[in-house]
Amino acid sequence: QPLYDRAIGAATPTGSTFKMVTGSAALSSGVIGKDQVLYDSGAWDCHGQRFVDIAAGGLGTTDFVRALAASSDGYFYQLGDRLGHERLRYYALQFGLGAKLGIDLPGEYPGNWPTNAWSMKVYHLPLEPSDVCQLAIGQGAMQATPLQMANVAATIVDGGTLYRPHLVEAIRDSSGSVVKRFDRDVIRRVPVTAEALREVRAGMDRVTDPGGTAYGLAIPGLPFGGKTGTVETDGGNGPNTTWFVAYAPSKHPTIALAIMAERTGGYGAEVAAPIARRILMEYFHKK
């Protein structure tokens, strides 16, 4: 389907890229402190359901920044459990998920954030308390578009301000005079603390360090922040969909992006992240 605009119209679970939102929510709401450590055993018993991390054994005792860089599921299961359905949904919607961003293109899809009413309509079952742990790591019935996730990354580095994306900066007449200019259009100020955003960026900035999920993909002369994501399909029987969101340069970002490689198999670090790396190298003219 080559004419299907997946950037704005295709929505899938986001995998661990959603941990940007979970982490911001947990730190801003005080369910975890920036210097507080949790024990990640590689699994978590969430309201009677046992969820296992892809990395056997987990990280052990770890703080937030290390857990985000290494994409610890066991750690973020615990944050989802502490946040609960209502708070996690609140922050997901505040970051622009589950609604159209209003880009000046036809065909934008709002994605989905599951509610109890939605679950009853689709599955004829209510949301389970344990579903929040899956949602906290970007799995389950949540869906977002690549545009939405690129906007989440931009919001993280832009001080928590969510902007409406536009393609056109200005319209000019044949003589070059500006007929209409499209200024920056603020959707809302996301209610996250500056401290939370600093900690999320610190974790994303370490994604290419030893222990980070994109270790080995650093670009000499261009530090960047990023987050990998891997999504199961067909109940774990289909090829994975992989994600990578990024911003660059790390200190003063001028670009944010999201890569979604649909049903390609592999992991975010193997498929989506190298694509993002090549785009950043071309954009910033790095060899």
Side-chain angles (χ1 to χ4, degrees):
Q1 297 179 314
L3 299 182
Y4 174 35
D5 189 349
R6 287 173 169 80
I8 63 171
T12 78
T14 65
S16 292
T17 60
F18 184 74
K19 291 171 183 173
M20 296 185 294
V21 177
T22 304
S24 299
L27 290 164
S28 296
S29 61
V31 302
I32 188 74
K34 74 179 185 70
D35 297 320
Q36 186 177 348
V37 297
L38 296 177
Y39 186 76
D40 170 24
S41 67
W44 184 249
D45 188 336
C46 187
H47 300 275
Q49 291 289 325
R50 184 171 178 79
F51 296 118
V52 180
D53 197 327
I54 193 170
L59 296 178
T61 302
T62 183
D63 62 12
F64 176 85
V65 170
R66 182 183 176 218
L68 185 62
S71 199
S72 162
D73 287 342
Y75 184 96
F76 280 86
Y77 288 143
Q78 296 179 61
L79 296 193
D81 200 358
R82 293 182 179 202
L83 282 165
H85 273 295
E86 186 175 340
R87 270 191 296 197
L88 186 61
R89 178 176 182 269
Y90 170 75
Y91 281 99
L93 269 56
Q94 288 293 304
F95 269 101
L97 276 64
K100 293 181 181 180
L101 292 169
I103 190 171
D104 36 7
L105 281 174
E108 185 184 5
Y109 181 67
N112 182 58
W113 188 267
T115 62
N116 206 55
W118 177 89
S119 184
M120 289 297 297
K121 181 180 178 180
V122 176
Y123 297 118
H124 308 293
L125 292 169
L127 284 176
E128 295 289 342
S130 60
D131 289 341
V132 72
C133 291
Q134 285 283 72
L135 293 169
I137 66 164
Q139 303 281 357
M142 65 87 68
Q143 291 182 332
T145 65
L147 178 67
Q148 287 173 330
M149 294 311 294
N151 224 25
V152 170
T155 302
I156 294 290
V157 299
D158 215 356
T161 302
L162 181 71
Y163 288 97
R164 192 176 319 282
H166 286 292
L167 292 179
V168 178
E169 182 179 52
I171 298 173
R172 300 175 184 270
D173 62 21
S174 58
S175 65
S177 299
V178 175
V179 176
K180 183 177 182 180
R181 185 176 299 279
F182 296 87
D183 296 323
R184 302 185 82 181
D185 186 3
V186 175
I187 298 176
R188 73 178 65 89
R189 175 68 173 81
V190 179
V192 288
T193 65
E195 180 181 80
L197 295 179
R198 281 195 302 270
E199 294 301 299
V200 171
R201 286 185 62 173
M204 295 175 71
D205 287 348
R206 287 175 53 179
V207 72
T208 57
D209 290 352
T213 53
Y215 178 56
L217 296 179
I219 301 172
L222 182 67
F224 66 90
K227 186 70 199 75
T228 55
T230 303
V231 183
E232 293 182 345
T233 64
D234 303 334
N237 297 315
N240 291 337
T241 289
T242 64
W243 285 79
F244 192 72
V245 297
Y247 55 81
S250 288
K251 296 297 183 184
H252 302 287
T254 58
I255 184 175
L257 59 86
I259 302 294
M260 180 189 76
E262 193 175 30
R263 299 177 69 90
T264 54
Y267 297 94
E270 299 171 331
V271 182
I275 297 170
R277 181 179 188 268
R278 181 164 181 180
I279 290 171
L280 292 174
M281 290 175 70
E282 292 287 341
Y283 186 88
F284 289 101
H285 309 292
K286 299 292 182 182
K287 294 183 178 180

